[in-house]
Amino acid sequence: ESGAKELLAHLKGETMLPVRQVVIPDEVDVRSIRARTGMSQAEFARAFCINPRTLQEWEQGRRRPDTTTRAYLAVIAKNRQAVLDALAS
């Protein structure tokens, strides 16, 4: 009920709700992201639950990660330990 009231107030212009803009990169250099981890392709694929063949295809430029995967890779590039911790739990 309180959420609905808050939304209604926002729609009437009586209050401002917080806004977060998410920027997903159009291109990611998968090879450099992996290289910065110091992991082999097999290690990286296993650690981050990525199909090894797909990882190879990305690194060789034959395929391109989709939007969701580019966001995931951006998070890995920014804070890989947080991703590893989340996947380990």
Side-chain angles (χ1 to χ4, degrees), residues 22-26 28 58 64-74:
V22 176
V23 178
I24 298 173
D26 290 330
V28 292
W58 294 337
R64 185 173 175 262
D66 64 19
T67 304
T68 303
T69 305
R70 288 194 314 273
Y72 180 53
L73 290 165

Side-chain angles (χ1 to χ4, degrees), residues 31-44:
R31 181 174 290 157
S32 74
I33 292 170
R34 180 184 58 78
R36 286 194 308 266
T37 69
M39 296 177 177
S40 68
Q41 284 183 340
E43 291 168 331
F44 188 89

Side-chain angles (χ1 to χ4, degrees), residues 3-67:
K5 288 179 182 178
E6 185 178 35
L7 177 60
L8 186 58
H10 174 72
L11 292 173
K12 290 179 178 179
E14 297 168 357
T15 186
M16 293 294 297
L17 296 177
V19 177
R20 176 176 289 168
Q21 184 171 352
V22 176
V23 178
I24 298 173
D26 290 330
E27 298 291 328
V28 292
D29 187 344
V30 179
R31 181 174 290 157
S32 74
I33 292 170
R34 180 184 58 78
R36 286 194 308 266
T37 69
M39 296 177 177
S40 68
Q41 284 183 340
E43 291 168 331
F44 188 89
R46 188 172 34 258
F48 297 107
C49 306
I50 297 170
N51 180 294
R53 180 70 180 155
T54 301
L55 180 61
Q56 289 175 347
E57 297 282 323
W58 294 337
E59 288 194 9
Q60 294 170 2
R62 289 193 296 260
R63 291 183 60 198
R64 185 173 175 262
D66 64 19
T67 304

